[in-house]
Amino acid sequence: DFFFISGDDTYVIVENLKEFLTSPEFVQYAGGKDYPNPVYVGSWTHPKYLSGTYGEDFYYNGGGSGYILNRATVKALVEQVFPVCHNTTDLSAEDMYMGLCLRDVLNVTGYDARDSEGGERFISVDPILRATLRRRKKDEPLQSGEQWKYYTRSQLRWQMRRFRWMPKYGVEAISPKAISFHLVKPAEKMKRYERLIYRMPHYDEKDCNI
């Protein structure tokens, strides 16, 4: 019934994904238990550098942490969207064009997937980075290798301006029912998450040092 598209460095907690898709709030958004309405869900991302082209309000679901489409959406993409929207564009930003074309052709925009406390379910960066992110002090210089911190803070500022969402920092920014985490690499780190979450027989205390 659903398609989940993400990067290959994304860790997904499938049980939380299933629980989210069958929650009463989401079922209502999708039009009922058969999910007849087009569904488009993920981590809302605003491309600031394209504000002049697509508008300050434009956002799409980032492909890194993954986004969800249902059958109704895919059917509409094939029959209505692909024939008319950017069908000659040859760029890798598939996630951005997905959001743009769904908005412009079908008037479909992303569903707010945060939990009732505002915790994020789709985490566009490594969970450790997100859980330790703090508010940047005024005039604090950006250190080398901190581009993902800058990216996350810029998205939080845009969400506050656009939706009046108060930025969350620390562990409370991540929903206890989180679905996906992006930038989980190298592969050994992803395996460690698997062992920690599911307490596999070969779980070792050293896995906590990730």
Side-chain angles (χ1 to χ4, degrees):
D1 293 324
F2 296 95
F3 294 83
F4 182 80
I5 305 169
S6 74
D8 60 5
D9 56 351
T10 299
Y11 185 83
V12 180
I13 303 176
V14 177
E15 292 82 358
N16 288 351
L17 174 59
K18 289 181 177 179
E19 182 179 328
F20 171 74
L21 293 175
T22 55
S23 65
E25 297 81 6
F26 183 79
V27 171
Q28 181 180 13
Y29 155 73
K33 63 181 181 180
D34 293 327
Y35 308 97
N37 297 340
V39 163
Y40 177 51
V41 188
S43 174
W44 292 5
T45 303
H46 171 65
K48 183 178 179 180
Y49 68 101
L50 291 174
S51 293
T53 303
Y54 300 128
E56 177 65 21
D57 291 345
F58 171 63
Y59 64 91
Y60 62 93
N61 289 321
S65 57
Y67 56 89
I68 302 166
L69 308 173
N70 66 345
R71 288 184 182 274
T73 309
V74 174
K75 186 174 187 294
L77 281 170
V78 173
E79 296 178 353
Q80 302 175 52
V81 178
F82 290 159
V84 299
C85 189
H86 286 279
N87 53 6
T88 60
T89 300
D90 186 17
L91 294 173
S92 62
E94 134 276 329
D95 50 0
M96 186 191 74
Y97 286 107
M98 179 70 72
L100 182 66
C101 291
L102 286 175
R103 183 196 70 171
D104 290 351
V105 179
L106 301 179
N107 195 30
V108 171
T109 55
Y111 173 76
D112 181 4
R114 298 175 305 153
D115 66 20
S116 59
E117 301 298 321
E120 300 169 14
R121 283 190 171 95
F122 297 84
I123 316 302
S124 56
V125 294
D126 180 279
I128 296 175
L129 186 154
R130 187 65 183 95
T132 57
L133 185 72
R134 57 176 176 77
R135 192 184 302 273
R136 185 168 175 245
K137 297 178 181 178
K138 186 177 180 180
D139 299 326
E140 179 181 349
L142 183 67
Q143 302 297 322
S144 175
E146 292 191 333
Q147 65 270 23
W148 284 106
K149 290 184 179 181
Y150 174 82
Y151 163 81
T152 304
R153 290 188 181 113
S154 70
Q155 293 301 314
L156 292 174
R157 288 194 298 269
W158 174 79
Q159 291 170 359
M160 183 171 63
R161 293 194 307 270
R162 176 68 174 82
F163 303 107
R164 297 295 186 264
W165 295 353
M166 292 305 297
K168 284 182 171 288
Y169 297 93
V171 176
E172 70 171 13
I174 301 175
S175 171
K177 295 293 186 178
I179 291 171
S180 63
F181 302 95
H182 186 211
L183 298 177
V184 179
K185 51 189 175 183
E188 180 56 33
K189 187 180 234 184
M190 195 169 289
K191 293 176 182 177
R192 287 180 178 180
Y193 285 174
E194 187 81 0
R195 293 195 292 267
L196 286 167
I197 291 174
Y198 296 104
R199 291 296 193 270
M200 293 180 175
H202 48 286
Y203 162 77
D204 194 290
E205 291 297 330
K206 69 181 180 180
D207 287 323
C208 293
N209 183 25
I210 54 179

